[in-house]
Amino acid sequence: MSVTTSSVSSLASLDTPLLAVPVFASNDAAARSDAGPGAALLPGALPEALANALRAARGDLRANTGAATVVWASEGVEGPQRLVFIGVGKPEKECGAEDIRRLAGHAVRQAEGRRQSAVALLVPTLGDGAEVAGQSAAEGAVLAAWRFRELKTGAGETEPPTAVTDITLVGDGADFEAGVAAGTITGESENLARSLQSRPGNVATPTHLADVAEGIGHGLEVDILGPDRLKEERMGALLAVAQGSDEEPRLIVMKHMGGSDDEKPLVLVGKGLTFDAGGISLKPPKGMEDMRFDMSGGAGVIGAMAAIARLGVKRNVIGIVPSSENLLGGRAVKPGDVVTTRSGKTVEIINTDAEGRLILCDSLDYALQFEPDAMIDCATLTGAVVIGLGSHAIGLLGTDQALIDEVKAAGERSGERCWQLPLWEEYRKQLDTPQSDLQNVGGRPAGTITAAWFLREFVKETKWAHLDVAGTAYGDGTKASYLRKGGYGVPTRLLVDWVRSRA
Ligand code: BES
Ligand code: MN
Ligand code: ZN
């Protein structure tokens, strides 16, 4: 895929089959049928034939989100072959980064629908400035153009949909160019996460995730711990989850040393459970195939580390992904078993389906040796967060309110929004058990909070935030124009944004 930029003044000679132009809603009733400022700017810069056609079509333009009106140029005229006016849904001054991502998503979908592999977009510069506009447009377009067709042979398909491979973003200035460059990298890295998510359990095994992490390059130092080293590290909780499967577990450690030697790192930890059958506490069959997405947090961390390395962020950042299957082989951990975690704390495993916190607790403890400046973990951890927040908000909890506020702000900017839940002391006692230091489930009430409390037991004094992405990491694709059914790559953009905000 190629993403290039072009200046507004050269629009008239831009050789593209399709130029997308935003149409904003207007607060002013008299102006409501007019195109927004983006379109108003066009006629002068366009070839006469196209400008005339546009003037004639003006009354047809609609500003509601995604509404599209096409205007054709006469044959043989230099410049865009057609314009597609796309409704943004709001007045220009109310639009933000997420509106631009979605606009870019609609532009790519328009190209696909017209069997065009190339599309150009006139990018509006909103209140957030040209850099944010360029970044958001690139993210939206790159995310929208991604498709997962690795496992399709093409057999039986008469007309495969056209892939959009050539994106031109029209805007001016160095800030815009820098934004497009960064947004292309975050978009591509989030697409890496989506591809990992989409690969089924028999393809995206723990070994596969480790191989992909090792292949990223861009100066990332990658260390992979297999069963022997996990035993040496006494990671009894991770090993307990893995022992029900013939597939070997991995702990993937990725280091980006972009800061000074003595700078304490930011640490990102992601749950890389490549298939969650529930273990002996077996899940019901309906929808179980979605549990291939239970490595979404890990995919997000791998995607984020790829972006951080490619962007050359001037900060030390360590990404850690514990990866395992959760199956029910003859050696599988059983309800009632007590395991000793890396930290020394003992855990009674009441429900083998609460495995995410088990593989994470040893990883959080492992991370403490790096003395993190701050640590964020992300995981498809609880069904309860799906009930509580649905698909529009990541569950956010943690030990440090300032860090939580930073993460929340990063979520707003990146369009991967979070909502905080309380981690009050009162909830801790739900993990009490006479058998051991704590049990791995806290009952039905406040399931997301007790899961976070379990993790909190292992982070000691570290400034730590936890993202429960079970409701937001994948879906049917209807949430935004730039998404498709399957993995959403969440929270890659949020993590990259947060790390960059700390650089
Ligand atoms: N991977 C699941 C959580 C999940 C549920 C992710 C739905 C995506 C969609 C996790 O391992 C799990 O099974 N959690 C249990 C915990 C319970 C046994 C305390 C849950 O939420 O039901
Ligand atoms: Mn589970
Ligand atoms: Zn799980």
Side-chain angles (χ1 to χ4, degrees), residues 234-238 269 339-349 354-369 372 375 377 381 399 423 428 431 436-441 450-464:
R234 302 154 67 88
M235 298 181 77
L238 170 56
V269 180
V339 299
T340 304
T341 63
R342 186 181 187 277
S343 71
K345 283 193 163 90
T346 55
V347 174
E348 183 183 11
I349 300 179
E355 84 299 335
R357 60 198 79 182
L358 296 173
I359 70 171
L360 286 167
C361 74
D362 279 346
S363 310
L364 295 169
D365 182 68
Y366 180 90
L368 298 186
Q369 67 185 287
M375 176 157 69
D377 83 82
L381 204 60
T399 52
L423 197 51
R428 168 63 182 81
L431 299 176
S436 61
D437 296 338
L438 68 169
Q439 58 183 6
N440 78 327
V441 294
T450 54
W453 246 115
F454 184 96
L455 300 179
R456 182 181 183 165
E457 288 288 315
F458 297 87
V459 301
K460 303 209 170 122
E461 302 309 310
T462 310
K463 290 177 178 166
W464 160 78

Side-chain angles (χ1 to χ4, degrees), residues 271 276 283 291 294 351 353-357 380-384 386 441 470 474:
K271 173 180 174 182
D276 182 12
K283 285 185 183 295
M291 284 300 121
D294 211 19
N351 188 324
D353 198 10
E355 84 299 335
R357 60 198 79 182
T380 47
L381 204 60
T382 65
V386 190
V441 294
Y474 61 94

Side-chain angles (χ1 to χ4, degrees), residues 205-207 226-228 230 242 245-250 274 323-325:
T205 58
T207 322
D228 292 341
L230 296 173
S245 163
D246 289 345
E247 205 61 67
E248 286 186 358
R250 293 286 184 269
T274 58
S323 186
S324 167
E325 290 189 328

